[in-house]
């Protein structure tokens, strides 16, 4: 602190002490020696942080994407590579106000865990996230995001965009506000599309905006807060447009979008009338043409699906199914009764909240499967007891129909039942949980089920047969759902790698669980001896379970069994309880484990030699395996012996079958 003042004091003292009467000046070397002798230089060097760019990894000809992520555990901001030949929009969030729901929120104490707000942004394939700030009536947002503005078409990708070019870029900045409570549960607070092109008509290329955020779902007409935002162009614009030109362009785009949506609505009404004329009972089928998003806006369902490539994050379609199924499932919240609240989230809101309804999961999985080149559709229908549901279907080139359950990752082969065959003929028994299907759709097609029965068992999924599936005009769908067709469509964000360190998180969860198990056994008057070597031997089992959930192939179980047999001494028994969660809350996971009688028996085990191993792996999903080894007690009568043999059979079954 105040290094300049200290340097001045030392230099003045050195001049007074060492400048002889016959000497007119001190050399630079003399002054440096004096500063080094007093330790000033060493102190300054310790405080300096040098940043070295890895020139070998970043070639000047291909600047990296300006994606900036800040993690909760890290306070260091990642550097952004700035290309001087590109145009950038610098968006600053300068605080919030009027978040009245948090008017009585107490000021958090230093180090105290509190609920936080996080602002997530997406603009033209770039994603950003702010630092978490404590929830308050006036949240202290102070973040800056550097957004690259460029056109990827017409060969203009390497040229700096001018004002006229940027005016034709209609992509909005999608802003999503997420609240995270003290238990790590996330809530979608607001979703807002920011029209940024007003900065093109402002003086000096700088403008300040006040953005009013509205709620979501049933609260979409209620304001939740205000954000103060500053927009600035880098480099500065050589020529700014008049505000009248900008406003005229925006008005023309809105008018064009409104006309396309009006024409599609007219066509959809006509299609629906024709569909009802086929069979009046069709009115009760789940034929979903429009769906409301989190802002209460009706959009064609085909606009919620688009081919999505995961880059190198997900290698296979089955990995994609596993990724989607570990995202949390939560029905849209509803105030009061009245059944299910409909809310199909935009993809950014779904990914940032990290959970959603079955429709959100199905839309994401269908988009990923389309990205892998499969012919995929979202199916809308019902499960048991008539509960509305959505799942994914793929059509193979050989006619094979496969159902993908996006909430579990399970796959089912569909074999149609022929209702006209005699009763003695053997019919395939369906394994899937689906009962009826009303319609199927993807980004290009929408087909209504017009077969005599909408039961999935008897449905024939020959989508080219118009006597069984009534199609919508692909041109009509393309007019409102194709990329860039209208300015009202939210663009699809890219997937980003996880910011969580799996090894560190696994160790943290394991230590927390060990503490919870020890405390629970202590309350029962039991001591706990942890077996580290046996804990390590559980790792291959967890990896095998995850591999099987991803690929449907079991591997590595033989080595695990052999290692356990070698590790467990004679006269002892081993019992394990594998379970997986889609959250990282150790206390919540432990409470779930205790609800299982098998796991409770392990945790509460009594014996003269009881060792407890525990292993946790964070593989995008937390996997926990508990087990114990203990000396067998003496068995005095034949009834006890019979009971023990039966229990040992059950234990061996648990041990050998890793799907139990």
């Amino acid at each position: 602190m105040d290094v300049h003042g200290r340097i001045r004091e030392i230099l003045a003292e050195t001049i007074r002490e060492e400048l002889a009467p016959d000497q007119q000046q001190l050399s630079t070397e003399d002054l440096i020696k004096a500063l080094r002798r007093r330790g000033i230089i060493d102190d300054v060097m310790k405080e300096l942080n040098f940043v070295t760019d890895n020139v070998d990894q970043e070639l000047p000809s291909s600047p990296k994407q300006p994606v900036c992520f800040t993690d909760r555990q890290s306070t260091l901001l990642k550097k952004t590579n700035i290309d001087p030949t590109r145009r950038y929009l610098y968006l600053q969030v300068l605080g919030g106000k009027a978040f009245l729901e948090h008017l009585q929120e107490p000021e958090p104490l230093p180090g105290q865990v509190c609920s936080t707000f996080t602002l997530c942004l997406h603009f033209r394939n770039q994603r950003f996230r702010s630092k978490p700030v404590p929830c308050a009536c006036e949240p202290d947002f102070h973040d800056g995001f550097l957004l690259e503005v460029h056109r990827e078409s017409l060969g203009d990708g390497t040229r700096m965009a001018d004002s006229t070019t940027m005016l034709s870029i209609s992509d909005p900045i999608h802003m999503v506000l997420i609240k995270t409570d003290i238990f790590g549960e996330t809530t979608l607070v607001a979703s807002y599309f920011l029209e940024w092109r007003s900065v093109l008509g402002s003086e000096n290329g700088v403008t300040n905006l006040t953005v009013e955020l509205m709620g979501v779902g049933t609260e979409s007409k209620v304001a939740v807060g205000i954000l103060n935002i500053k927009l600035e162009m880098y480099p500065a614009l050589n020529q700014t447009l008049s505000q009248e030109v900008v406003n005229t362009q925006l008005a023309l785009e809105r008018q064009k979008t409104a006309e396309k949506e009006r024409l599609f609505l007219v066509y959809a009404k006509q299609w629906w009338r024709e569909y009802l004329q086929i069979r009046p009972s069709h009115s009760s089928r789940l034929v979903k043409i429009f769906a409301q998003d989190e802002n209460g806006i009706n959009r064609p369902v085909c606009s919620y699906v688009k081919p999505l490539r995961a880059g190198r994050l997900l290698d296979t379609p089955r990995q994609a199914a596993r990724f989607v199924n570990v995202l949390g499932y939560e029905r849209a919240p509803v105030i009061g009764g009245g059944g299910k609240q409909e809310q199909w989230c935009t993809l950014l809101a779904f990914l940032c909240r990290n959970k959603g309804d079955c429709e959100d999961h199905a839309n994401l999985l269908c988009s990923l499967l389309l990205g892998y080149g499969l012919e995929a559709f979202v199916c809308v229908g019902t499960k048991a007891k008539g509960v509305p549901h959505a799942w994914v279907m793929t059509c193979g080139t050989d006619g094979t129909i496969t159902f993908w359950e996006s909430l579990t990752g399970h796959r089912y082969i569909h074999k149609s039942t022929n209702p006209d065959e005699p009763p003695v003929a053997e019919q395939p028994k369906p394994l899937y949980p689906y009962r009826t299907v009303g319609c199927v759709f993807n980004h290009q097609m929408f087909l209504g089920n017009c077969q005599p029965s909408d039961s999935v068992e008897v449905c024939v999924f020959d989508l080219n047969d118009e006597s069984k599936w009534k199609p919508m005009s692909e041109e009509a769908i393309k007019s409102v759902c194709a990329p860039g067709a209208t300015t009202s469509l939210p663009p699809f964000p890219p997937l980003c790698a996880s910011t969580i360190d799996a090894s560190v998180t696994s160790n943290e969860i394991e230590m927390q669980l060990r503490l919870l198990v020890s405390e629970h056994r202590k309350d029962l008057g039991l001591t706990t001896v942890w077996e580290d070597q046996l804990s390590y031997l559980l790792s291959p089992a967890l990896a095998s379970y995850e591999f099987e959930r991803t690929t449907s192939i079991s591997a590595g179980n033989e080595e695990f069994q052999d290692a356990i047999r070698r590790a467990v001494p004679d006269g002892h028994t081993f019992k394990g309880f594998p379970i997986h969660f889609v959250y990282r809350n150790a206390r919540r996971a432990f409470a779930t484990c205790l609800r299982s009688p098998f796991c409770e028996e392990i945790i509460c085990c009594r014996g003269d030699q009881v060792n407890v191993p525990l292993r946790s792996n964070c593989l995008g999903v937390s996997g926990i395996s508990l087990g114990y080894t203990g000396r067998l007690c003496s068995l005095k009568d034949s009834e006890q012996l019979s009971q023990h043999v039966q229990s040992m059979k059950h234990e061996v079954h648990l041990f050998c079958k890793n799907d139990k």
Side-chain angles (χ1 to χ4, degrees), residues 557-630:
N557 201 34
E558 299 81 5
E559 294 86 350
F560 167 65
Q561 293 186 22
D562 187 64
I564 293 296
R565 289 193 183 100
R566 291 176 178 275
V568 178
D570 292 340
H572 290 65
T573 184
F574 169 85
K575 191 168 187 177
F577 178 75
I579 186 171
H580 77 89
F581 304 97
V582 294
Y583 46 83
R584 304 193 307 275
N585 188 322
R587 190 172 294 276
R588 181 179 168 192
F590 182 67
T592 303
C593 290
L594 286 179
R595 287 198 288 269
S596 167
F598 298 116
C599 186
E600 186 182 23
E601 180 185 348
I602 293 174
I603 294 176
C604 305
C605 175
R606 298 173 183 267
D608 55 349
Q609 290 185 20
V610 176
N611 296 329
V612 184
L614 184 147
R615 194 66 172 173
S616 169
N617 278 353
C618 186
L619 304 165
V621 52
S622 299
I624 296 170
S625 185
L626 293 162
Y628 73 77
T629 59

Side-chain angles (χ1 to χ4, degrees), residues 262-279 282-283 285-290 301-302 380 437-441 444-451 463 465-477:
R262 186 190 68 81
L263 291 175
F264 181 78
L265 179 61
V266 170
Y267 170 77
K269 288 181 176 179
Q270 176 63 29
W271 182 93
W272 178 247
R273 283 195 294 268
E274 294 173 359
Y275 182 71
L276 293 181
Q277 288 173 0
I278 299 173
R279 201 172 285 108
H282 286 177
S283 60
R285 295 188 179 183
L286 278 177
V287 180
K288 195 80 177 158
I289 303 175
F290 295 93
V301 292
C302 296
V380 179
V437 56
C439 64
V440 300
F441 67 88
Q444 294 176 329
M445 301 172 65
F446 183 95
L447 302 108
N449 184 2
C450 54
Q451 299 175 58
L463 303 183
D465 188 346
E466 294 191 10
S467 66
K468 295 181 173 61
W469 295 92
K470 178 173 173 56
M472 268 193 174
S473 165
E474 292 189 21
E475 288 299 320
I477 295 173

Side-chain angles (χ1 to χ4, degrees), residues 315-336:
D315 295 325
T316 67
R318 298 195 185 188
Q319 277 190 4
R322 177 61 169 158
F323 162 71
V324 173
N325 104 261
V326 298
L327 295 173
Y329 169 63
E330 181 183 79
R331 298 179 63 175
V334 59
I335 300 176

